[in-house]
Amino acid sequence: MIITVLRLLLQFIVLMGIQVVILNNVRLGAFINPFLYVLFLLSLPVNTPKLLLLPLAFFTGLIADMFQNTPGMHASACLLLVYCRPSWLSILAPREGYEPDMTPGLRSMGLGWYIAYAGGLIFMHHFLLFFLEIFRLSEIGSTLARIGLSSCVTLSLVTIAQFLSFNPKNN
Amino acid sequence: MRLLFLLLWRNNFTIFFLLLQVISIIMLVRSNRYQQATAFNATNRFVTQTTGAVNNAREFISLRDENARLAEENAKLRARLNESAYLRDTLTIRINDTIRHQQYEYMPARVVNNSVNRRNNYLTLNRGSIDGIRPEMGVISTNGVVGIVHRVSDNYCTVISLLNEKTSVSAMISRNRFFGSVRWDGKSPGRVTLYEIDKTVPVRKGDSVVTTAYSALFPSGIFMGKVDHIAIEPGSPFYKLGIRLATDFSNLSRVYIVKNLYKDEQRILEEKNEMKEDQP
């Protein structure tokens, strides 16, 4: 339990660090803003209490907001992500169900499942985020382009990060 | 009543979600409407320290470009010194001191955080209320307009970049002084659009676009960019002029904050105007 909490804390600091120090400063064109930090919310254990998910997401979002000067925007998008997460997990559940303390990841569930899981939630997060940023429908074409392209880049980064990440169970 | 509690308890996840969502949205709306500093924005000390460190690294990498730019600016300024001008009429120089009061002061500042790839971009500068910075001062770089000061803390201020849908800067075509307003459409960080120039005005590609002093934010005649696209919208009496910006927002590191010493005087006078008009 303690180890899990410490591991999650370390993961949070590393991901938020990469987000703030590197990704917020890299220019990939006008339509691409990847948000790797959502990997933290995606890889919380399956049996995390539902009522704990929400404050975790709220504060993760607020910290991301502090660095981008957009109070509430990331918080709102992160809340939507974790609100959809339990239902999305049960929709995608394999026939034998999940192990209770399992972390939804590439290694444990395979590539196809992971892309469906992460892709869906990342899309929802980015959809709300970019619409809150623009706050109107008049530039819908470019907003949808932002959402689509950024979601794809975030999904790729999240998947690649899984290959690179340290996994204590394999040692 | 018990049924109500039971119902609430059953849906506690959804209710907690909605509650936090409402808090987020309130924060977002408030941050758009008011300029007061809250703990969760980019003038927070920890945030500025982190982004400042990142920017130091970036600035070190771009020192060569920055040196070149400063040398160029030095050369331009040197060319405007009295010593480098041929004095045809000494009388003008003498009068200068007594009839020209200084209206604009420039304070150099360093960019500690910046973005160009979002729809609404902001910058953070290392000057704050201690240095006499107040909201709604203009910010320029050596190549043109950068934005308008938004929030101010003791040592830092955030700037609404020109690359932001909230920004609208009054600008004119320098050749014939017809004015309109410049806004950003959110597509490319190198291009903005000049609206509200009448279709009867002669405009050519390559015309320089400079600021006007109407908004009291910028001195008149600060270069912004050149017209590189002329669009005529059917049914509208105005042009839509594409402007290529002279400022490269993606590697800004030194800027100047413009203090207009007569701004309050102009604003108070103009407000009196509007009050009179409102009366029946």
Side-chain angles (χ1 to χ4, degrees):
Chain A
M1 177 65 192
I2 298 278
I3 290 173
T4 314
V5 171
L6 283 177
R7 192 170 60 85
L8 285 173
L9 193 67
L10 184 71
Q11 193 186 25
F12 179 78
I13 293 168
V14 169
L15 287 174
M16 201 50 102
I18 292 174
Q19 181 69 46
V20 168
V21 174
I22 301 171
L23 291 179
N24 283 0
N25 291 294
V26 176
R27 320 261 180 258
L28 295 168
F31 291 114
I32 304 177
N33 308 277
F35 293 107
L36 178 65
Y37 76 91
V38 296
L39 177 58
F40 171 72
L41 299 174
L42 292 175
S43 50
L44 290 169
V46 173
N47 65 348
T48 313
K50 276 175 150 189
L51 288 182
L52 183 61
L53 281 175
L54 290 169
L56 277 176
F58 186 63
F59 285 109
T60 307
L62 277 186
I63 289 171
D65 281 328
M66 280 165 71
F67 285 96
Q68 298 232 359
N69 200 19
T70 53
M73 210 168 80
H74 283 274
S76 178
C78 288
L79 283 170
L80 181 70
L81 189 153
V82 296
Y83 182 69
C84 298
R85 202 185 99 127
S87 338
W88 191 233
L89 273 172
S90 64
I91 290 170
L92 292 175
R95 196 170 298 159
E96 62 274 23
Y98 301 103
E99 290 168 45
D101 62 342
M102 197 201 74
T103 299
L106 192 63
R107 286 167 210 239
S108 49
M109 299 302 295
L111 185 67
W113 182 89
Y114 192 74
I115 285 181
Y117 166 72
L121 292 177
I122 287 171
F123 180 76
M124 262 175 249
H125 174 272
H126 285 29
F127 189 85
L128 183 58
L129 185 73
F130 287 105
F131 265 105
L132 283 178
E133 183 173 29
I134 180 105
F135 225 77
R136 55 192 151 81
L137 289 172
S138 65
E139 290 171 25
I140 191 152
S142 67
T143 307
L144 288 177
R146 263 162 221 269
I147 293 168
L149 288 170
S150 300
S151 299
C152 291
V153 176
T154 305
L155 180 61
S156 323
L157 285 177
V158 161
T159 315
I160 292 165
Q162 299 264 308
F163 280 113
L164 302 177
S165 67
F166 166 74
N167 192 339
K169 272 178 194 161
N170 288 2
N171 289 13
Chain B
M1 198 64 188
R2 231 176 60 184
L3 202 70
L4 182 69
F5 277 122
L6 198 72
L7 199 71
L8 285 179
W9 181 244
R10 270 228 194 109
N11 295 313
N12 59 7
F13 185 50
T14 308
I15 286 160
F16 195 28
F17 165 71
L18 289 176
L19 183 77
L20 289 175
Q21 196 66 271
V22 167
I23 295 173
S24 309
I25 299 294
I26 288 173
M27 285 171 79
L28 188 59
V29 173
R30 276 173 69 98
S31 81
N32 283 337
R33 195 175 300 161
Y34 303 111
Q35 299 195 339
Q36 74 210 17
T38 59
F40 290 105
N41 72 39
T43 59
N44 175 295
R45 197 194 169 108
F46 171 67
V47 173
T48 45
Q49 273 174 358
T50 319
T51 52
V54 174
N55 242 63
N56 276 341
R58 182 136 45 95
E59 195 171 277
F60 184 73
I61 296 165
S62 61
L63 273 181
R64 181 192 291 266
D65 290 345
E66 195 58 40
N67 269 337
R69 215 171 6 225
L70 288 174
E72 194 186 327
E73 191 184 14
N74 269 341
K76 274 187 200 151
L77 292 176
R78 211 176 277 271
R80 296 172 90 169
L81 283 178
N82 282 340
E83 291 93 85
S84 52
Y86 179 78
L87 295 184
R88 196 167 297 227
D89 184 1
T90 45
L91 195 66
T92 6
I93 301 296
R94 211 184 302 150
I95 294 171
N96 262 354
D97 296 341
T98 48
I99 64 166
R100 290 199 178 179
H101 291 271
Q102 186 167 18
Q103 185 181 0
Y104 295 100
E105 278 181 1
Y106 298 87
M107 175 169 288
R110 223 156 52 88
V111 177
V112 295
N113 195 6
N114 185 10
S115 73
V116 297
N117 50 359
R118 290 191 279 142
R119 178 63 183 92
N120 290 320
N121 296 292
Y122 294 88
L123 301 93
T124 310
L125 309 180
N126 67 340
R127 299 283 178 196
S129 54
I130 289 175
D131 309 294
I133 304 303
R134 278 182 296 152
E136 310 216 331
M137 284 179 171
V139 178
I140 60 172
S141 73
T142 58
N143 292 330
V145 170
V146 171
I148 298 160
V149 175
H150 183 45
R151 291 201 182 93
V152 180
S153 69
D154 285 351
N155 293 301
Y156 293 93
C157 63
T158 58
V159 174
I160 307 183
S161 167
L162 185 60
L163 308 182
N164 189 311
E165 66 175 327
K166 284 178 218 158
T167 316
S168 170
V169 174
S170 171
M172 63 188 174
I173 295 169
S174 115
R175 194 161 52 85
N176 49 25
R177 303 185 76 81
F178 281 101
F179 70 95
S181 58
V182 162
R183 288 192 290 274
W184 189 52
D185 61 2
K187 287 186 182 115
S188 155
R191 309 189 73 256
V192 292
T193 313
L194 176 59
Y195 296 92
E196 291 150 35
I197 297 278
D198 203 277
K199 272 181 186 169
T200 54
V201 174
V203 181
R204 286 196 298 257
K205 280 189 186 176
D207 278 350
S208 294
V209 174
V210 300
T211 55
T212 70
Y214 298 160
S215 54
L217 291 167
F218 302 102
S220 173
I222 301 272
F223 185 66
M224 293 180 86
K226 290 195 166 169
V227 175
D228 75 338
H229 180 76
I230 300 172
I232 297 166
E233 281 191 37
S236 158
F238 300 118
Y239 282 122
K240 215 176 138 187
L241 301 174
I243 312 293
R244 176 151 295 282
L245 286 173
T247 309
D248 185 355
F249 277 80
S250 58
N251 64 1
L252 276 181
S253 65
R254 305 269 166 177
V255 296
Y256 301 94
I257 301 172
V258 183
K259 274 190 218 180
N260 180 353
L261 302 176
Y262 295 154
K263 184 183 171 183
D264 285 344
E265 190 178 330
Q266 182 181 346
R267 188 177 49 84
I268 290 167
L269 191 63
E270 284 172 357
E271 274 173 8
K272 275 184 192 157
N273 248 359
E274 302 208 338
M275 273 193 283
K276 194 99 183 235
E277 277 169 12
D278 286 345
Q279 283 164 6

